[in-house]
Amino acid sequence: MSNVTKEFIAGLPKAELHLHIEGTLEPELKLKLAQKNQIDIGQKSIEEVKSAYEYNDLASFLSVYYPAMNVLQTESDFYELAFDYLKRAAKNNVRHVEIFFDPQAHTSRGISFETVINGLYRATLDARALNIDASLIMCFLRDFTKESARKTLESALKHRDKIVGIGLDSDEHNNPPLKFARQFEDAAAVGLHRTVHCDIDQKDSIEHIRQALEIMEVERLDHGTNIVEDPDLVELVVKRGIGLTSCPLSNGFVSPEMKGKEVLELLSKDVKVSIHSDDPAYFGGYISDNYSAIASNFELTKEQVIQLAKNSFETSWISDKQKELYLEELNTYVANN
Ligand code: HPA
Ligand code: ZN
C-alpha cells in the first residue's frame, strides 16, 4: 500500500490535460438529454446505460462512445456537459484544465461547429467562478479524411481566440499522425499548440510516436507510454521537455497493469509524465481517482505523486508566470499537508 492518502491527492493542486469532454457524459445527464431531445438511445435506466459499457480495446470503446453523443443537440447541452464536468474538476482541486473536444463527432451528424464551440466556450468562461482556468483543445478524428480535417480547421480558425491548441484522437489503427501533417503545420503557423494521441500498445506505437515528435514536432503526447521501448525517443522527450499525459484507469481497460511500471520508469528518467482522466464517465473515475489508482497499485511515494502534479503544470499551455503561481500554490499545499 502506498502511504499517500486519498485526501492528500484530492487536495493537491493539479492540471488536467487529457480530458475528453464527450467522455464526461454521465449516465444521468445522458438519460436527461435523451428525454429532453427525444432521442432513443435504446436504454431507459442508469443500470441499462451502464450495462452497455463493455469494452476491452480502443475500437470497442469508441463504438459505445460515439453513438451516445447523439443526445447532445443544442448549445445549452454542450454548456451543461462542460459545466457539470467543471464542477467535478473543482472538487478534485483541478486548478487548470485544457479540455479536448471532437467537433467532427457532432458536425458529422448535423450539429453546427458554432453550436458546439459556443456552448463549451461559455462554460470555460464560467469556470472562473469555480476558481478554475479552462481552455479548449480541438481534436481531429484521425479515422476521418484529411479533407474533413482541413474543413474543421477552417471552421475553427473563425474562432481562433476560443481554442488554445489542437489534438488528434479516435481510432489509431492505420491512421498515423503524419496523415494530418498539413493541418498541424497550418495550426502551428497561427500559434496553436499541438498534441497527438499515441494510444497504448497500438500496431505502430513507436513509429507513430516517432512521427509525432520528429516530424510534426508536437509539444505533448497523449498516452505515449510505449516510448519506454525506444531509449532514443525517451532521450528526445527529456531534452525537449515534452509532456506525456497518462490515464491509468482507461489504460486498465485495455492493459492488465494500467501502464504503471512505464509511468514510474519515465518518472525515474525525468520525463515529464503526468496523470489524467481521459473519459471519466466511461472508465470509472475522475482525476483524483486516477492518481489514487496508480499510487495504490504501484506504491508510489508522496514525492512521486507530487512530481506527477508538478509535471502537469509544467507541461500545460499557460504562461511561465502562471505556471510559477500554480507551482507555488502546490509547494504551499505540500508544506502544510
Ligand atoms: N484515444 C483515442 N480516442 C479517444 C480517446 C482515447 O483515449 N478517448 C476519447 N477518444
Ligand atoms: Zn484520450
Side-chain angles (χ1 to χ4, degrees), residues 18 20 197 223 278-279:
H18 188 156
H20 301 264
H197 270 63
H223 304 294
D278 215 358
D279 301 283

Side-chain angles (χ1 to χ4, degrees), residues 237-249:
V237 290
V238 172
K239 197 169 105 201
R240 289 198 194 150
I242 303 273
L244 269 67
T245 63
S246 187
C247 307
L249 289 175

Side-chain angles (χ1 to χ4, degrees), residues 161-175:
D161 56 324
K162 299 190 182 95
I163 60 176
V164 69
I166 58 163
L168 186 64
D169 64 6
S170 197
D171 194 358
E172 188 167 332
H173 188 82
N174 291 342
N175 291 302

Side-chain angles (χ1 to χ4, degrees), residues 15 33 42 119 141 238 254 280 295 301 309 327:
L33 294 178
L141 297 185
V238 172
V254 295
T301 63
L327 290 169

